[in-house]
Amino acid sequence: MKQVEQLQEVDLFQKIANHEQVVFCNDRQSGLKAIIAIHNTTLGPALGGTRMYPYSSVQEALEDALRLSEGMTAKCAISDVDFGGGKAVIIGDPNKDKSPAMFRALGQFVDSLNGRFITGTDMGTSMNDFIHAAKETKFINGIPESFGGSGDSSIPTAKGILYALKATNQFLFHNDSLDRVYAIQGLGKVGRKVAVHLLEAGAFVYVTDANESVIKSFLNEVRDKQHCIQVVSAEEIYRVNADIFMPCAIGGIINEETIKLLNVKAVVGSANNQLACDKYAASLTEKEILYAPDYIVNAGGLIQIADELYGVNKERVLKKVASIYDTILQLFKDAQDANITTVEAARRECERKLDEQQHRNNFYSRSRRPKWDIK
Ligand SMILES: NC(=O)C1=CN([C@@H]2O[C@H](COP(=O)(O)OP(=O)(O)OC[C@H]3O[C@@H](n4cnc5c(N)ncnc54)[C@H](O)[C@@H]3O)[C@@H](O)[C@H]2O)C=CC1
Ligand SMILES: O=C(O)CCC(=O)C(=O)O
């Protein structure tokens, strides 16, 4: 028994070897079971949303927290914001298990980290949930403006996706018009906003969502565009003949099986960690499918919540979100010139930025930050 315990301990530390800190949060009264993963605070306190998902095991939740927080380090570096990478996951079904008490408990755990981790919404959580968390800690962002936050971060995220789509169309078709065919997986906070805009721009969209009521409500919103929409099943979304496949729900959906099915020229979406692992970037390239790295495409929300550090200026946020167009276009060109995948090109750029900015004050060098006052 003792040997088994020792082995598990070693495995766990191997698993989190690239991370600075992982916190398991358990609140019996509210039922909160959450994991906070802090990947890297070189550039500043760890920043990242909190996801709620009915994980089938603690292992699965931990894997997700580790991968998502690592992605946030890259996202912060490439977006030039003064934050590091972190993320929290709550184990539970967002449609059944949520309560204000659960988010207050999460707020207390976040507060106990004294500014090392700042959080807000992600998949399965909403601004309203974080109003409760913000009663317990100041280290919450992206809550409604009426509560002193920067508001719905899925709005700038959706705008960023549209810029990334334009850049992709420019690169592929030498014309950045959005008037094309898209296959959208997930019509949540981000996917739906993007879909509505694409329809307004004259696009045709294939859509799917795991939740039928989400599809109904979407169709209701875009009643006058029914001829430009086809609802398909969860499986069919991978097979449809479209210009761009847009993952806007869960991660890990670009894998050996789905790559075989894809019938598109590019993959551009909001979901974090779309590739089940990095090797699938090469498989996409082999199939001549252009991949826009998720953490560049979906950085709009991060850009807004990071701007809270300076008191939020929507104009400044929009300008920075618009730069996603140039970043993506340049990345496609760099990858093409160097004959490497877009994932490798993005990784090199992140590493360059992290190296270049090692000198920046960070948690360990006791920087003071205007809003969060990290001591
Ligand atoms: N909200 C934001 O500003 C940002 C979101 N993201 C990422 O974008 C993705 C979507 O985020 P949100 O729209 O905020 O989440 P959300 O929770 O509002 O919406 C997700 C939608 O996907 C659907 N869904 C879940 N599993 C599915 C599946 N297997 N097939 C089809 N549909 C499925 C859900 O029913 C839901 O309608 C997530 O991966 C999130 O991490 C990334 C950056 C910022
Ligand atoms: O957009 C947000 O509200 C949170 C930022 C984040 O966690 C993400 O970009 O994945």
Side-chain angles (χ1 to χ4, degrees):
M1 182 65 187
K2 211 166 185 186
Q3 261 180 348
V4 171
E5 275 171 9
Q6 276 170 1
L7 186 66
Q8 282 173 344
E9 188 181 316
V10 170
D11 281 348
L12 192 54
F13 274 99
Q14 270 170 1
K15 192 168 257 316
I16 67 166
N18 291 328
H19 284 68
E20 290 177 12
Q21 189 177 10
V22 177
V23 185
F24 285 77
C25 312
N26 187 38
D27 180 59
R28 276 169 47 192
Q29 224 156 12
S30 65
L32 174 77
K33 286 196 188 323
I35 301 172
I36 297 172
I38 296 178
H39 176 250
N40 184 314
T41 57
T42 302
L43 300 180
L47 182 65
T50 297
R51 169 173 295 193
M52 186 164 183
Y53 191 75
Y55 295 102
S56 56
S57 66
V58 174
Q59 174 84 3
E60 194 194 356
L62 176 62
E63 297 275 358
D64 209 24
L66 295 178
R67 277 200 85 198
L68 288 167
S69 55
E70 189 171 351
M72 289 309 293
T73 301
K75 200 180 300 192
C76 290
I78 212 132
S79 309
D80 286 323
V81 300
D82 296 353
F83 289 97
K87 203 89 174 185
V89 299
I90 298 175
I91 300 171
D93 184 338
N95 299 316
K96 290 202 303 245
D97 301 330
K98 264 186 197 174
S99 69
M102 184 176 270
F103 282 87
R104 286 191 83 135
L106 179 76
Q108 288 182 9
F109 283 110
V110 170
D111 203 58
S112 73
L113 293 169
N114 203 19
R116 250 173 86 60
F117 176 60
I118 299 154
T119 195
T121 61
D122 189 67
M123 194 170 96
T125 59
S126 72
M127 286 197 293
N128 287 342
D129 299 328
F130 282 94
I131 293 172
H132 303 296
K135 290 175 186 158
E136 304 291 341
T137 180
K138 61 182 172 174
F139 301 115
I140 296 293
N141 51 24
I143 54 176
E145 284 160 282
S146 57
F147 283 81
S150 60
D152 186 352
S153 61
S154 66
I155 296 172
T157 302
K159 289 202 166 113
I161 310 291
L162 293 165
Y163 282 115
L165 289 171
K166 276 175 164 279
T168 306
N169 288 342
Q170 178 63 36
F171 187 79
L172 286 175
F173 311 113
H174 311 291
N175 173 349
D176 72 7
S177 162
L178 290 170
D179 170 11
R180 299 207 165 265
V181 180
Y182 303 87
I184 308 179
Q185 181 182 52
L187 289 169
K189 296 189 292 292
V190 181
R192 176 173 177 150
K193 291 181 184 73
V194 175
V196 169
H197 190 98
L198 289 175
L199 286 168
E200 277 163 10
F204 184 94
V205 296
Y206 292 97
V207 296
T208 192
D209 194 287
N211 185 338
E212 258 182 51
S213 66
V214 165
I215 297 180
K216 267 194 199 146
S217 137
F218 167 70
L219 291 177
N220 202 28
E221 181 178 349
V222 289
R223 268 189 305 268
D224 55 331
K225 299 279 183 196
Q226 304 287 331
H227 55 291
C228 303
I229 305 168
Q230 188 171 333
V231 178
V232 297
S233 70
E235 294 75 35
E236 196 57 26
I237 198 73
Y238 296 108
R239 298 178 198 273
V240 297
N241 183 359
D243 291 307
I244 300 187
F245 174 58
M246 298 182 55
C248 293
I250 48 166
I253 42 76
I254 302 289
N255 54 45
E256 211 151 322
E257 283 78 50
T258 58
I259 288 175
K260 282 186 210 141
L261 307 176
L262 286 178
N263 193 9
V264 292
K265 299 178 186 71
V267 175
V268 185
S270 78
N272 282 306
N273 297 335
Q274 291 164 25
L275 305 183
C277 70
D278 281 358
K279 70 175 183 188
Y280 295 119
S283 316
L284 286 173
T285 308
E286 270 165 36
K287 244 192 124 175
E288 294 187 14
I289 297 174
L290 184 63
Y291 176 64
D294 45 23
Y295 59 83
I296 306 179
V297 173
N298 69 17
L302 166 75
I303 289 168
Q304 175 160 300
I305 60 174
D307 204 72
E308 285 191 25
L309 186 61
Y310 311 104
V312 183
N313 175 304
K314 289 279 162 91
E315 231 172 272
R316 185 170 55 216
V317 169
L318 277 182
K319 208 166 153 198
K320 204 159 180 194
V321 172
S323 73
I324 290 175
Y325 181 96
D326 291 331
T327 309
I328 289 285
L329 202 51
Q330 189 58 49
L331 181 94
F332 287 158
K333 289 178 184 156
D334 290 347
Q336 190 176 50
D337 291 349
N339 198 20
I340 54 177
T341 66
T342 51
V343 167
E344 177 58 16
R347 193 189 61 75
R348 289 184 190 178
E349 182 61 6
C350 284
E351 271 180 11
R352 190 187 66 73
K353 291 202 171 191
L354 276 169
D355 282 351
E356 187 182 272
Q357 287 156 20
Q358 288 288 343
H359 66 277
R360 263 199 209 169
N361 288 341
N362 62 32
F363 175 78
Y364 294 112
S365 59
R366 300 177 186 282
S367 65
R368 287 180 71 85
R369 292 185 181 270
K371 179 175 174 190
W372 287 293
D373 191 20
I374 315 285
K375 296 192 190 73

